[in-house]
Amino acid sequence: MKVKIDVDENHPETSITIHCSQVDDSVKEILDFLHEKKQTFVVGKSGESQHILKPEHIQFFRTEDEAVFAYTKESSFKVKDKLYELERSLPSQRFVRISKSVLANIYEMSRFEPSFNGTLCVYFKSGEKEYASRHYVGRIKEMLNMNRRDSR
């Protein structure tokens, strides 16, 4: 990636132009940074206690009976945000939608197994598992570079 900076006091304002052949993960990461799309913590409730959760420690978010829960290795916490709000505010290079009701941390996934009807069974480092619906399988494979052909 080539970076050019043009410093000139005659520029009326700072502007950024990105020239690329496609919007890949590195470009998305830059855009996330520029748009400050980095939620530094999520507040979750367990019982009467409020917990401050770092996004990198959250394995996935799941919608259950119109409530959203954050799952860590240790526990689950009810969060106030809707799933689509979390998807917008969390880093797109870390979190991926795997089904209509689950937003997963790609770095907390441990393995996949093909399941029925083209879905994937996604296993997390904690041993938890969720199913990725066919609609989202392509995006998961894209994020993990699984679409590359074996060069043997």
Side-chain angles (χ1 to χ4, degrees):
M1 180 182 307
K2 185 167 61 168
V3 177
K4 289 193 315 186
I5 299 177
D6 178 14
V7 179
D8 186 341
E9 62 187 39
N10 294 321
H11 290 309
E13 66 179 0
T14 301
S15 67
I16 297 172
T17 304
I18 298 174
H19 301 277
C20 58
S21 60
Q22 66 180 16
V23 178
D24 60 12
D25 288 339
S26 64
V27 173
K28 287 179 186 174
E29 192 172 337
I30 292 166
L31 292 172
D32 288 349
F33 176 78
L34 292 173
H35 294 298
E36 297 181 274
K37 187 178 174 183
K38 176 134 173 84
Q39 190 165 337
T40 55
F41 61 86
V42 175
V43 176
K45 187 173 182 179
S46 179
E48 295 301 313
S49 300
Q50 299 281 341
H51 297 264
I52 298 171
L53 309 170
K54 292 183 178 180
E56 58 268 20
H57 295 153
I58 298 170
Q59 296 197 325
F60 59 91
F61 295 92
R62 181 192 305 138
T63 303
E64 300 172 18
D65 299 324
E66 297 185 28
V68 177
F69 291 86
Y71 286 81
T72 65
K73 288 180 183 175
E74 297 82 29
S75 191
S76 64
F77 304 88
K78 186 175 181 179
V79 297
K80 288 192 282 185
D81 305 288
K82 301 288 185 200
L83 210 55
Y84 71 88
E85 294 170 331
L86 291 164
E87 189 173 19
R88 277 194 223 144
S89 64
L90 292 166
S92 60
Q93 71 274 8
R94 177 176 288 275
F95 286 90
V96 62
R97 182 73 76 116
I98 65 169
S99 71
K100 191 174 173 184
S101 59
V102 177
L103 180 66
N105 183 344
I106 202 100
Y107 294 99
E108 289 297 316
M109 296 177 183
S110 62
R111 64 187 172 99
F112 304 93
E113 288 179 3
S115 189
F116 55 92
N117 296 334
T119 61
L120 280 179
C121 184
V122 179
Y123 289 88
F124 293 90
K125 293 176 181 175
S126 66
E128 291 277 337
K129 69 178 180 179
E130 286 292 331
Y131 289 92
S133 59
R134 282 187 305 179
H135 181 76
Y136 299 100
V137 168
R139 176 70 181 128
I140 296 166
K141 287 182 175 182
E142 178 185 317
M143 285 185 75
L144 296 172
N145 294 320
M146 290 173 60
N147 290 330
R148 287 189 267 162
R149 295 219 182 257
D150 196 1
S151 60
R152 286 187 256 164

